Amino acid sequence: MAAFGLQFGHGLGLGLHERPIISRLNSMREPVELRAGMVFALETYCPASDGFSAARIEEEVVVTQDGCRVLTLFPAQDLVVANPY
């Protein structure tokens, strides 16, 4: 779990974290071939300077013949803090 780091990708569908799961924890053991047309949510973790708060921001991407294209339209740097401590 130390390798997990709250930075991973997962497929999009009806479940919370659809397969395939892309992470340092399992991708080396159970690799998944990425193919054009697959859509993923890539999650990142950014701790706040207060040592308590954090943000997990998902970017949605689609795999194309030429690489990946970001689908998310809202710029993450403009996110609003809804409940500051």
Side-chain angles (χ1 to χ4, degrees):
M1 287 302 289
F4 182 63
L6 291 178
Q7 297 182 17
F8 69 107
H10 57 83
L12 294 174
L14 297 175
L16 179 60
H17 293 125
E18 290 280 329
R19 299 222 177 261
I21 301 294
I22 303 168
S23 80
R24 292 174 287 178
L25 182 62
N26 64 358
S27 292
M28 297 302 279
R29 274 194 331 261
E30 302 169 26
V32 174
E33 179 183 356
L34 302 182
R35 294 183 303 269
M38 295 175 107
V39 180
F40 295 95
L42 300 179
E43 296 191 26
T44 59
Y45 173 80
C46 182
S49 58
D50 65 6
F52 179 77
S53 306
R56 290 180 68 179
I57 301 168
E58 283 191 358
E59 295 284 357
E60 293 179 4
V61 299
V62 61
V63 180
T64 71
Q65 295 293 342
D66 301 319
C68 290
R69 183 171 53 94
V70 177
L71 298 174
T72 310
L73 299 178
F74 194 86
Q77 64 270 22
D78 293 341
L79 290 174
V80 178
V81 175
N83 187 19
Y85 289 95

